[in-house]
Coordinates of all heavy atoms in Angstrom, one line a residue:
M1 N 90.9 104.4 120.1 CA 91.0 104.1 118.7 C 89.8 103.3 118.3 O 89.5 102.3 118.9 CB 92.3 103.4 118.4 CG 92.5 103.2 116.9 SD 94.2 102.5 116.6 CE 95.2 103.9 116.6
R2 N 89.1 103.8 117.2 CA 88.0 103.1 116.7 C 88.2 102.8 115.2 O 88.6 103.7 114.5 CB 86.7 103.9 116.8 CG 86.4 104.2 118.3 CD 85.8 103.0 119.0 NE 85.5 103.3 120.3 CZ 86.1 102.7 121.4 NH1 87.1 101.9 121.1 NH2 85.8 103.0 122.6
A3 N 87.9 101.6 114.8 CA 88.0 101.3 113.4 C 86.7 100.7 112.8 O 85.8 100.4 113.6 CB 89.1 100.2 113.2
E4 N 86.7 100.5 111.5 CA 85.5 99.8 110.9 C 86.1 98.9 109.8 O 87.3 99.1 109.4 CB 84.6 100.8 110.3 CG 85.2 101.8 109.3 CD 84.3 103.0 109.0 OE1 83.5 103.4 109.8 OE2 84.3 103.3 107.8
V5 N 85.3 97.9 109.4 CA 85.8 97.0 108.4 C 86.1 97.9 107.2 O 85.3 98.7 106.8 CB 84.7 96.0 108.1 CG1 85.1 95.1 106.9 CG2 84.5 95.1 109.3
G6 N 87.3 97.6 106.6 CA 87.7 98.4 105.4 C 88.7 99.5 105.7 O 89.3 100.0 104.8
S7 N 88.8 99.9 107.0 CA 89.8 100.9 107.4 C 91.2 100.4 107.1 O 91.5 99.2 107.1 CB 89.7 101.2 108.9 OG 88.5 101.8 109.3
R8 N 92.0 101.3 106.7 CA 93.4 101.0 106.5 C 94.2 101.3 107.8 O 93.9 102.3 108.5 CB 94.0 101.9 105.3 CG 93.4 101.6 104.0 CD 93.8 100.3 103.4 NE 95.2 100.3 103.2 CZ 95.9 99.2 102.9 NH1 95.3 98.0 102.7 NH2 97.2 99.2 102.7
I9 N 95.2 100.5 108.1 CA 96.0 100.7 109.3 C 97.5 100.7 108.8 O 97.9 100.1 107.9 CB 95.8 99.5 110.3 CG1 96.4 99.9 111.7 CG2 96.2 98.2 109.8 CD1 95.8 99.1 112.8
R10 N 98.2 101.6 109.5 CA 99.6 101.8 109.3 C 100.3 101.7 110.6 O 100.0 102.3 111.6 CB 99.9 103.1 108.6 CG 101.4 103.4 108.4 CD 101.7 104.7 107.8 NE 100.5 105.5 107.7 CZ 100.4 106.6 106.9 NH1 101.3 107.0 106.2 NH2 99.2 107.3 106.9
I11 N 101.3 100.8 110.7 CA 102.1 100.6 111.9 C 103.5 101.0 111.6 O 104.2 100.4 110.7 CB 102.0 99.1 112.4 CG1 100.6 98.6 112.6 CG2 102.9 98.9 113.6 CD1 100.5 97.2 112.9
H12 N 103.9 102.1 112.3 CA 105.2 102.6 112.1 C 106.3 101.6 112.7 O 106.0 101.0 113.7 CB 105.4 104.0 112.7 CG 104.4 105.0 112.2 ND1 104.6 105.5 111.0 CD2 103.3 105.5 112.7 CE1 103.6 106.4 110.7 NE2 102.8 106.3 111.8
G13 N 107.4 101.5 112.1 CA 108.5 100.7 112.6 C 108.9 101.3 114.0 O 109.2 102.4 114.1
A14 N 108.9 100.4 115.0 CA 109.1 100.8 116.4 C 110.6 101.0 116.6 O 111.0 101.6 117.6 CB 108.5 99.8 117.3
R15 N 111.4 100.4 115.8 CA 112.9 100.4 116.0 C 113.6 100.8 114.7 O 113.0 100.6 113.6 CB 113.4 99.0 116.4 CG 112.9 98.6 117.7 CD 113.6 97.3 118.2 NE 113.0 96.9 119.4 CZ 112.6 95.7 119.7 NH1 112.7 94.8 118.8 NH2 112.1 95.5 120.9
V16 N 114.7 101.4 114.8 CA 115.5 101.7 113.6 C 115.7 100.5 112.7 O 116.1 99.4 113.2 CB 116.8 102.4 114.0 CG1 117.7 102.6 112.7 CG2 116.6 103.6 114.7
G17 N 115.4 100.6 111.4 CA 115.6 99.5 110.5 C 114.3 98.7 110.3 O 114.2 97.9 109.4
N18 N 113.3 98.9 111.2 CA 112.0 98.2 111.0 C 111.2 99.0 110.0 O 111.0 100.2 110.2 CB 111.2 98.0 112.3 CG 111.8 97.0 113.2 OD1 112.8 96.3 112.9 ND2 111.2 96.7 114.3
S19 N 110.6 98.4 109.0 CA 109.8 99.2 108.1 C 108.3 99.3 108.5 O 107.9 98.5 109.4 CB 109.8 98.5 106.7 OG 109.3 97.2 106.8
E20 N 107.6 100.2 107.9 CA 106.2 100.3 108.2 C 105.4 99.1 107.7 O 105.9 98.5 106.7 CB 105.6 101.6 107.6 CG 106.0 102.8 108.3 CD 105.2 104.0 107.8 OE1 104.6 103.9 106.6 OE2 105.1 105.0 108.5
R21 N 104.3 98.8 108.3 CA 103.4 97.8 107.8 C 102.1 98.4 107.5 O 101.6 99.3 108.3 CB 103.2 96.6 108.8 CG 104.5 95.9 109.1 CD 104.3 94.7 109.9 NE 103.7 93.6 109.0 CZ 103.2 92.5 109.5 NH1 103.1 92.3 110.8 NH2 102.7 91.6 108.6
H22 N 101.5 98.0 106.4 CA 100.2 98.6 106.0 C 99.2 97.4 105.8 O 99.6 96.4 105.3 CB 100.3 99.3 104.7 CG 101.3 100.5 104.7 ND1 100.9 101.8 104.9 CD2 102.6 100.5 104.7 CE1 102.0 102.5 104.9 NE2 103.0 101.8 104.8
G23 N 98.0 97.6 106.2 CA 97.0 96.6 106.0 C 95.6 97.1 106.1 O 95.3 98.3 106.2
E24 N 94.6 96.2 105.9 CA 93.2 96.5 105.9 C 92.5 95.8 107.1 O 92.8 94.6 107.3 CB 92.6 96.0 104.6 CG 91.1 96.3 104.5 CD 90.5 95.8 103.2 OE1 91.2 95.3 102.3 OE2 89.3 95.8 103.1
V25 N 91.7 96.5 107.8 CA 90.9 95.9 108.9 C 89.8 95.0 108.3 O 89.0 95.4 107.5 CB 90.3 96.9 109.8 CG1 89.4 96.3 110.9 CG2 91.4 97.8 110.4
L26 N 89.8 93.7 108.7 CA 88.8 92.7 108.2 C 87.7 92.6 109.2 O 86.6 92.3 108.8 CB 89.5 91.4 108.0 CG 90.6 91.3 107.0 CD1 91.2 89.9 106.9 CD2 90.2 91.7 105.6
E27 N 88.0 92.7 110.5 CA 87.0 92.5 111.6 C 87.4 93.4 112.8 O 88.6 93.6 113.1 CB 87.0 91.1 112.2 CG 86.5 90.1 111.2 CD 86.5 88.7 111.9 OE1 86.6 88.6 113.2 OE2 86.5 87.7 111.2
T28 N 86.4 94.0 113.5 CA 86.7 94.6 114.8 C 86.0 93.7 115.8 O 84.9 93.3 115.6 CB 86.1 96.0 114.8 OG1 84.7 95.9 114.6 CG2 86.7 96.9 113.8
R29 N 86.7 93.3 116.8 CA 86.2 92.4 117.8 C 85.9 93.0 119.1 O 85.4 92.3 120.0 CB 87.2 91.2 118.0 CG 87.4 90.4 116.7 CD 88.1 89.2 116.8 NE 88.2 88.4 115.6 CZ 88.8 87.3 115.4 NH1 89.5 86.8 116.5 NH2 88.8 86.7 114.3
G30 N 86.2 94.3 119.3 CA 85.9 95.0 120.5 C 84.5 95.7 120.4 O 83.9 95.7 119.3
E31 N 84.1 96.3 121.5 CA 82.8 97.0 121.5 C 83.0 98.3 120.6 O 84.0 99.0 120.7 CB 82.4 97.4 122.9 CG 81.8 96.2 123.7 CD 81.3 96.7 125.0 OE1 80.7 97.8 125.1 OE2 81.4 96.0 126.0
D32 N 81.9 98.6 119.9 CA 81.8 99.9 119.1 C 83.1 100.2 118.3 O 83.6 101.3 118.3 CB 81.6 101.0 120.2 CG 81.1 102.3 119.5 OD1 80.5 102.2 118.4 OD2 81.4 103.3 120.0
G33 N 83.6 99.2 117.6 CA 84.7 99.4 116.7 C 86.1 99.4 117.4 O 87.1 99.8 116.9
G34 N 86.1 99.0 118.7 CA 87.4 99.0 119.4 C 88.2 97.7 119.1 O 87.7 96.8 118.5
P35 N 89.5 97.7 119.6 CA 90.3 96.6 119.4 C 89.9 95.4 120.2 O 89.2 95.6 121.2 CB 91.7 97.1 119.8 CG 91.5 98.4 120.5 CD 90.1 98.8 120.3
P36 N 90.4 94.2 119.8 CA 91.4 93.9 118.8 C 90.8 93.9 117.4 O 89.6 93.8 117.2 CB 91.9 92.5 119.2 CG 90.7 91.9 119.8 CD 89.9 93.0 120.6
Y37 N 91.7 94.0 116.4 CA 91.3 94.1 115.0 C 92.0 92.9 114.3 O 93.2 92.6 114.5 CB 91.8 95.4 114.3 CG 91.3 96.6 115.0 CD1 92.2 97.6 115.4 CD2 90.0 96.8 115.4 CE1 91.8 98.8 116.0 CE2 89.6 97.9 116.0 CZ 90.5 98.9 116.3 OH 90.1 100.1 116.9
L38 N 91.2 92.2 113.4 CA 91.8 91.3 112.5 C 92.2 92.0 111.3 O 91.4 92.7 110.7 CB 90.8 90.2 112.2 CG 91.4 89.1 111.2 CD1 92.5 88.3 111.9 CD2 90.3 88.1 110.9
V39 N 93.5 92.0 111.0 CA 94.1 92.8 109.9 C 94.8 91.9 108.9 O 95.5 91.0 109.2 CB 95.1 93.8 110.4 CG1 95.8 94.6 109.3 CG2 94.5 94.8 111.4
R40 N 94.5 92.2 107.6 CA 95.3 91.5 106.5 C 96.3 92.6 106.0 O 95.9 93.6 105.5 CB 94.4 91.1 105.4 CG 95.2 90.4 104.2 CD 94.4 90.0 103.0 NE 93.4 89.1 103.4 CZ 92.1 89.2 103.1 NH1 91.7 90.2 102.3 NH2 91.2 88.3 103.5
F41 N 97.5 92.3 106.2 CA 98.6 93.2 105.8 C 98.8 93.0 104.3 O 98.4 92.0 103.7 CB 99.9 92.9 106.6 CG 99.7 93.3 108.0 CD1 99.4 92.4 109.0 CD2 99.9 94.6 108.4 CE1 99.3 92.8 110.3 CE2 99.7 95.0 109.7 CZ 99.4 94.1 110.7
D42 N 99.4 94.0 103.7 CA 99.7 94.1 102.3 C 100.5 92.9 101.8 O 100.4 92.6 100.6 CB 100.3 95.4 101.8 CG 99.3 96.6 102.0 OD1 98.1 96.3 102.2 OD2 99.8 97.7 101.9
D43 N 101.3 92.3 102.6 CA 102.1 91.1 102.2 C 101.3 89.8 102.3 O 101.8 88.7 102.0 CB 103.3 91.0 103.1 CG 103.1 90.7 104.5 OD1 101.9 90.5 104.9 OD2 104.1 90.7 105.3
G44 N 100.0 89.9 102.6 CA 99.1 88.7 102.7 C 98.9 88.1 104.0 O 98.0 87.3 104.3
A45 N 99.8 88.5 105.0 CA 99.7 87.9 106.3 C 98.5 88.5 107.1 O 98.1 89.7 106.9 CB 101.0 88.2 107.1
E46 N 97.8 87.7 107.9 CA 96.7 88.1 108.7 C 97.1 88.0 110.2 O 97.7 87.0 110.6 CB 95.5 87.3 108.4 CG 94.9 87.6 107.1 CD 93.6 86.9 106.8 OE1 93.0 86.3 107.7 OE2 93.2 86.9 105.6
S47 N 96.7 89.0 111.0 CA 97.1 89.0 112.4 C 96.0 89.7 113.2 O 95.3 90.6 112.7 CB 98.4 89.8 112.7 OG 99.5 89.2 112.1
L48 N 95.8 89.2 114.4 CA 94.9 89.9 115.4 C 95.8 90.8 116.2 O 96.7 90.4 116.8 CB 94.3 88.8 116.3 CG 93.2 89.3 117.2 CD1 92.0 89.8 116.5 CD2 92.8 88.2 118.2
I49 N 95.4 92.1 116.1 CA 96.3 93.1 116.8 C 95.5 94.0 117.7 O 94.4 94.2 117.6 CB 97.1 94.0 115.7 CG1 96.1 94.9 115.0 CG2 97.9 93.2 114.8 CD1 96.7 96.0 114.2
F50 N 96.3 94.4 118.7 CA 95.8 95.5 119.6 C 96.8 96.7 119.3 O 97.9 96.6 119.7 CB 96.0 95.1 121.1 CG 95.1 94.0 121.6 CD1 95.3 92.7 121.3 CD2 93.9 94.4 122.2 CE1 94.4 91.7 121.8 CE2 93.0 93.4 122.7 CZ 93.3 92.1 122.4
P51 N 96.3 97.7 118.6 CA 97.1 98.8 118.1 C 97.7 99.6 119.3 O 97.0 99.8 120.3 CB 96.3 99.6 117.3 CG 94.9 99.3 117.6 CD 94.9 97.9 118.2
G52 N 99.0 100.0 119.1 CA 99.6 100.8 120.1 C 99.8 102.2 119.6 O 99.2 102.6 118.6
P53 N 100.7 103.0 120.3 CA 100.8 104.4 119.9 C 101.6 104.5 118.5 O 101.6 105.6 118.0 CB 101.7 105.0 121.0 CG 102.4 103.8 121.6 CD 101.4 102.6 121.4
D54 N 102.1 103.5 118.0 CA 102.8 103.5 116.7 C 101.8 103.2 115.5 O 102.3 103.1 114.4 CB 104.0 102.6 116.7 CG 103.5 101.1 117.0 OD1 102.4 100.9 117.5 OD2 104.3 100.2 116.7
C55 N 100.5 103.2 115.8 CA 99.5 102.9 114.7 C 98.7 104.1 114.3 O 98.4 105.0 115.2 CB 98.6 101.8 115.2 SG 99.3 100.2 115.5
E56 N 98.3 104.1 113.1 CA 97.4 105.2 112.6 C 96.3 104.4 111.8 O 96.6 103.5 111.1 CB 98.1 106.1 111.6 CG 99.1 107.0 112.3 CD 99.8 107.9 111.3 OE1 99.0 108.6 110.5 OE2 101.0 108.0 111.2
L57 N 95.1 105.0 111.9 CA 94.0 104.4 111.1 C 93.6 105.5 110.1 O 93.5 106.7 110.3 CB 92.8 104.2 112.0 CG 92.8 102.9 112.8 CD1 91.6 102.8 113.7 CD2 92.8 101.7 111.8
E58 N 93.2 105.0 108.9 CA 92.6 105.8 107.8 C 91.3 105.2 107.5 O 91.2 104.0 107.0 CB 93.5 105.8 106.6 CG 92.9 106.7 105.5 CD 93.8 106.7 104.3 OE1 95.0 107.1 104.4 OE2 93.4 106.2 103.2
H59 N 90.2 105.9 107.8 CA 88.9 105.3 107.6 C 88.5 105.5 106.2 O 89.0 106.4 105.5 CB 87.9 106.0 108.5 CG 88.2 105.9 110.0 ND1 87.9 104.7 110.7 CD2 88.8 106.7 110.9 CE1 88.3 104.8 111.9 NE2 88.8 106.0 112.1
Q60 N 87.6 104.6 105.7 CA 87.1 104.8 104.4 C 86.5 106.2 104.2 O 85.8 106.6 105.1 CB 86.0 103.7 104.1 CG 86.5 102.3 104.0 CD 85.4 101.3 103.8 OE1 84.2 101.6 104.1 NE2 85.7 100.2 103.3
G61 N 86.8 106.8 103.1 CA 86.3 108.2 102.9 C 87.3 109.3 103.3 O 87.2 110.4 102.9
D62 N 88.2 108.9 104.2 CA 89.2 109.9 104.7 C 90.0 110.4 103.5 O 90.3 111.6 103.4 CB 90.1 109.4 105.8 CG 89.5 109.3 107.1 OD1 88.3 109.8 107.2 OD2 90.1 108.8 108.1
A63 N 90.5 109.5 102.6 CA 91.3 109.9 101.5 C 90.5 110.7 100.5 O 91.0 111.7 99.9 CB 91.9 108.7 100.8
A64 N 89.2 110.5 100.4 CA 88.4 111.2 99.4 C 88.2 112.6 99.9 O 88.0 113.5 99.1 CB 87.1 110.5 99.2
E65 N 88.2 112.8 101.2 CA 87.9 114.1 101.8 C 89.2 115.0 101.7 O 89.1 116.2 101.7 CB 87.5 114.0 103.3 CG 86.2 113.3 103.5 CD 85.9 113.0 104.9 OE1 86.7 113.5 105.8 OE2 84.9 112.3 105.2
A66 N 90.4 114.4 101.6 CA 91.6 115.2 101.6 C 91.9 115.8 100.3 O 91.3 115.6 99.3 CB 92.8 114.3 102.0

């Protein structure tokens, strides 16, 4: 998984009753856009995350292409 600053991230709820979280990648700290990522979630919280299989990335420009 590769991200860039400004990419949008969506983390699906891993358990029944857990809602999705959406946020924006502020920093990539791995090599060549790899994890971990510093993310500001839509609720204002910031976290350093290592995305798992429940994550999706939307790169800048992806929405414009659709």
